[in-house]
């Protein structure tokens, strides 16, 4: 699958998330305010931040499809991460607001009195987000999109948040009036946790962090290519759906230019065969 096709497929995942989040935000905030559930309102605000996050991801994926130019020699593949960073800041700000409001209500003992309708909305939302998570998780594995993997993880977090809101609402019916307010605080903490995780994962990628186990496996692949004497150095960096790898190997100094070039092509093919969308740059050195 071509990189452009991968990005278009990833956009489908982002669009599915946006549609679902808009629907859930509308229903949760509407039912939460009308039927007096702090936990469901907090869950709705959580989904509102997810709408922004998914739109930012969609815009980032669209920009990623732009070809390389004079200022972006490696293309625009990392653009999707900018959207992830913006989304993490918004999510963190909302989480602080939800937590502070929940704590204030708990201290003042201003507990809500949710109805059974809010419980139904919460549990149905949990199942809906679980379905979206499974869809995006499978699509992320197929496309090897880091941003879509993060979106899928956020989908799962949202499903758990809705389940927590449901438990809080049910707790009120069981004679624990404070539980809906406590659930709202927990929802806020989960939003904050997700925001921090997205920020650090994105920051690591943008600072050229790369999984060491993957790099070790790539090195073993290179060393098993015919006529490669040794793999002196290997580095990798992620650019969204595209990965760039720099390899330095030693070969027989008596090989012709054509023979040495064939070795570089075999290395590039071997890594692409194992990892898909990888741009490998091979530097040759004469073996001692």
């Amino acid at each position: 699958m071509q990189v452009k096709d991968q990005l278009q497929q990833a956009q489908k995942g982002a669009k599915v998330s946006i549609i679902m989040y808009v629907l859930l935000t509308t229903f949760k905030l509407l039912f939460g305010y009308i039927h007096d559930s702090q936990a469901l309102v907090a869950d709705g605000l959580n989904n509102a931040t997810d709408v922004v996050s998914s739109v930012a991801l969609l815009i980032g994926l669209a920009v990623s499809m732009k070809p390389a130019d004079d200022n972006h020699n490696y293309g625009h593949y990392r653009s999707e991460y900018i959207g992830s960073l913006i989304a993490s800041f918004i999510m963190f700000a909302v989480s602080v607001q939800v937590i502070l409001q929940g704590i204030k209500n708990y201290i003042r003992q201003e507990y809500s009195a949710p109805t059974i309708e809010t419980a139904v909305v919460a549990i149905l939302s949990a199942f809906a987000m679980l379905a979206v998570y499974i869809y995006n998780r499978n699509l992320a594995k197929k496309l090897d999109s880091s941003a879509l993997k993060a979106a899928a993880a956020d989908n799962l977090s949202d499903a758990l948040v809705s389940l927590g809101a449901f438990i809080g609402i049910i707790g009120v019916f069981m004679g624990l009036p404070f539980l809906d307010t406590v659930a709202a605080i927990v929802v806020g903490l989960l939003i904050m946790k997700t925001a921090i995780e997205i920020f650090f994962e994105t920051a690591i990628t943008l600072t050229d962090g790369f999984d060491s186990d993957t790099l070790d496996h790539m090195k073993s692949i290179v060393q098993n290519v015919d006529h490669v004497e040794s793999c002196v150095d290997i580095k990798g960096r992620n650019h969204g759906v595209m990965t760039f790898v720099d390899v330095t190997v030693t070969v027989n100094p008596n090989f012709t230019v054509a023979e040495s070039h064939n070795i570089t092509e075999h290395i590039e093919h071997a890594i692409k065969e194992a990892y898909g969308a990888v741009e490998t740059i091979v530097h040759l050195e004469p073996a001692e």
Side-chain angles (χ1 to χ4, degrees):
M1 184 181 293
Q2 297 295 321
V3 173
K4 184 177 180 180
D5 293 331
Q6 286 181 284
L7 291 170
Q8 289 175 338
Q9 289 292 320
Q11 282 182 316
K12 289 183 180 179
K15 289 176 182 177
V16 169
S17 294
I18 291 171
I19 293 171
M20 185 59 70
Y21 281 136
V22 169
L23 291 173
L24 292 180
T25 299
T26 303
F27 279 106
K28 288 177 183 178
L29 292 179
L30 186 64
F31 276 82
Y33 281 119
I34 293 176
H35 297 282
D36 193 24
S37 172
Q38 294 177 30
L40 196 62
V41 169
D43 194 8
L45 291 174
N46 174 43
N47 288 149
T49 65
D50 293 321
V51 172
V52 178
S53 175
S54 297
V55 169
L57 172 60
L58 190 61
I59 294 173
L61 288 169
V63 175
S64 296
M65 295 174 67
K66 293 175 62 178
D69 55 33
D70 292 339
N71 295 324
H72 301 84
N73 298 321
Y74 291 98
H76 296 75
Y77 300 117
R78 279 187 172 177
S79 299
E80 59 186 84
Y81 295 119
I82 305 301
S84 296
L85 278 179
I86 294 172
S88 69
F89 296 146
I90 295 172
M91 290 174 69
F92 188 84
V94 171
S95 71
V96 171
Q97 179 184 349
V98 170
I99 292 169
L100 292 178
Q101 185 63 44
I103 292 174
K104 186 188 300 182
N105 290 336
Y106 185 83
I107 292 174
R108 294 176 179 176
Q109 295 187 357
E110 295 176 352
Y111 304 136
S112 55
T115 63
I116 192 64
E117 288 85 355
T118 58
V120 172
V121 171
I123 194 64
L124 289 179
S125 298
F127 284 117
M129 285 315 307
L130 187 62
V132 175
Y133 158 70
I134 293 172
Y135 174 80
N136 278 336
R137 180 199 62 183
N138 293 340
L139 189 60
K141 286 182 179 180
K142 178 182 176 181
L143 304 178
D144 194 27
S145 169
S146 300
L148 203 55
K149 287 176 184 176
D154 190 28
N155 295 150
L156 179 59
S157 173
D158 293 329
L160 296 176
V161 166
S162 294
L163 182 60
F166 171 75
I167 293 172
I169 295 168
I170 293 299
V172 175
F173 295 137
M174 297 175 64
L176 300 171
F178 61 87
L179 205 55
D180 183 74
T181 303
V182 171
I185 297 172
V186 172
V187 167
L189 291 171
L190 288 174
I191 299 172
M192 181 178 288
K193 175 178 177 292
T194 303
I196 293 172
E197 287 176 348
I198 291 175
F199 172 79
F200 277 108
E201 287 175 6
T202 305
I204 287 172
T205 302
L206 288 175
T207 53
D208 285 338
F210 200 82
D211 182 63
S212 58
D213 291 334
T214 300
L215 211 56
D216 288 340
H217 184 236
M218 286 181 172
K219 185 175 183 178
S220 68
I221 291 174
V222 172
Q223 289 175 330
N224 286 327
V225 172
D226 290 341
H227 305 300
V228 171
E229 297 288 339
S230 64
C231 181
V232 179
D233 188 37
I234 183 168
K235 299 182 181 72
R237 57 193 185 279
N238 287 317
H239 286 241
V241 297
M242 176 66 77
T243 299
F244 290 91
V245 176
D246 299 307
V247 182
T248 302
V249 298
T250 59
V251 297
N252 189 326
N254 296 319
F255 282 164
T256 64
V257 172
E259 289 171 331
S260 298
H261 177 69
N262 285 335
I263 295 173
T264 66
E265 288 191 331
H266 289 155
I267 292 172
E268 292 170 6
H269 177 75
I271 293 181
K272 188 166 290 188
E273 183 90 6
Y275 289 96
V278 178
E279 187 72 31
T280 306
I281 300 173
V282 183
H283 174 67
L284 299 177
E285 290 183 354
E288 294 181 0

